[in-house]
Amino acid sequence: MAVRSRTGYYQQEVNRTAWEVPERYRDLKQVGTGAYGTVCSAWDRRMGTQVAIKKLHRPFQSKLFAKRAYRELRLLKHMKHENVIGLMDVFTAEIALDRLRDFYLVMPFMGTDLGKLMKLERLSEDRVQFLVYQMLKGLKYIHSAGIIHRDLKPGNLAINPDCELKILDFGLARQADAEMTGYVVTRWYRAPEVILNWMHYTQTGKPSSRFVSSGVEEKAKRKLTFFSLLAVDIWSAGCIMAEMVLGKPLFKGSDHLDQLREIMKITGTPAADFVVKLHSQDAKNYIRSLPKVPKKDLHSLFSKASSNAVCVLEKMLLLDPERRVSASETLDLPFFSEYGEAEEESEALPYDQTMDNTDLPLDQWKRHTFTEILTFRPPRDSKETSL
Ligand code: N58
């Protein structure tokens, strides 16, 4: 039953919680829920389109939740690219800061995701080409803003019936250690350097000698380190592309160690120059203890794929993050030569991440969030909305 509330808003119950939304949004239907929030599909009467509305779960219950909510709002406000989820609207029924309890994020509704699509059908190479091209364009944009996704997987690639793809981050559930343990999708797309990190091999607590230098050299190293951090998404993109070609996940590890073993069966055990770059002695010892295996030829592994497709995989699935291609470089490879419209491969305006490393009291996070809600301006056209 719909109840009238603040002028222009009405109340409705969704899954036993009250949603208070502007009149323009109709036919709310729950499409997903988790510890961090609930998502409904709705009809936007003003735009004449289907939208997704996310209501965060008690965003101001703690400093951590508030910071997370603030970060998501800021990130979504910044994203203006057709292959990345963008914000169409953000609203709250509250008119004063001290009454702010909930707020809602509105984005274009995407019917399915790559995970579901791959379960239903095998993709032709033409579709693989189009989907991977869009994924890399989106990734180039995100990376150009200095943002690392860190959880790129088929379920985070939303797809509409026209095969148009947008990168998003559902992040509705907690990603605790338990979610990364065992035979789980959540880990299959993670880069080897990330898995090594989880094994607590690199957590020595003291700065690595690589960082104890100064001046120009220091700057160059930081830059190198930053690009290597972005490379975690390229690894994931490589795993996703491989899965599109194979029709099944490439590295289905049953635990952390098994995952690394699965990876090295294909990449081969690393060369000495990779091992010396590892931060921890334990990681070095572990890798050195493994029986040496040579790198597999990807052309025989992906025998049905064209050599241009395999060439992309060869450059993304490299064990050493410093050697992996960047998203921008992949777009220049022959596999994508049919596409390659420079205007679509645009870069983002710089994104200010200083708040990500800031500790603030709860009421300050709330105040900043309220300001971000009030200063939101809807995008002018569909390109800007990333609709
Ligand atoms: O995607 C997000 N949040 C988000 C995106 C990003 C990147 C990609 C810019 C890095 N970071 N974060 C935190 N939120 C979100 C995703 C999916 C839904 C709601 C919110 S649900 C949905 C959206 C569209 N169609 C159907 C369902």
Side-chain angles (χ1 to χ4, degrees), residues 70-78 351-352 355 372:
Y70 170 82
R71 182 172 181 271
E72 180 161 32
L73 172 56
R74 281 274 324 279
L75 267 173
L76 291 175
K77 272 182 80 171
H78 195 79
Y351 175 74
D352 183 357
M355 293 292 265
E372 290 294 333

Side-chain angles (χ1 to χ4, degrees), residues 40-55:
C40 278
S41 69
W43 178 252
D44 180 359
R45 285 201 303 186
R46 190 182 299 169
M47 303 293 275
T49 55
Q50 198 76 6
V51 293
I53 307 180
K54 176 173 176 178
K55 181 186 184 188

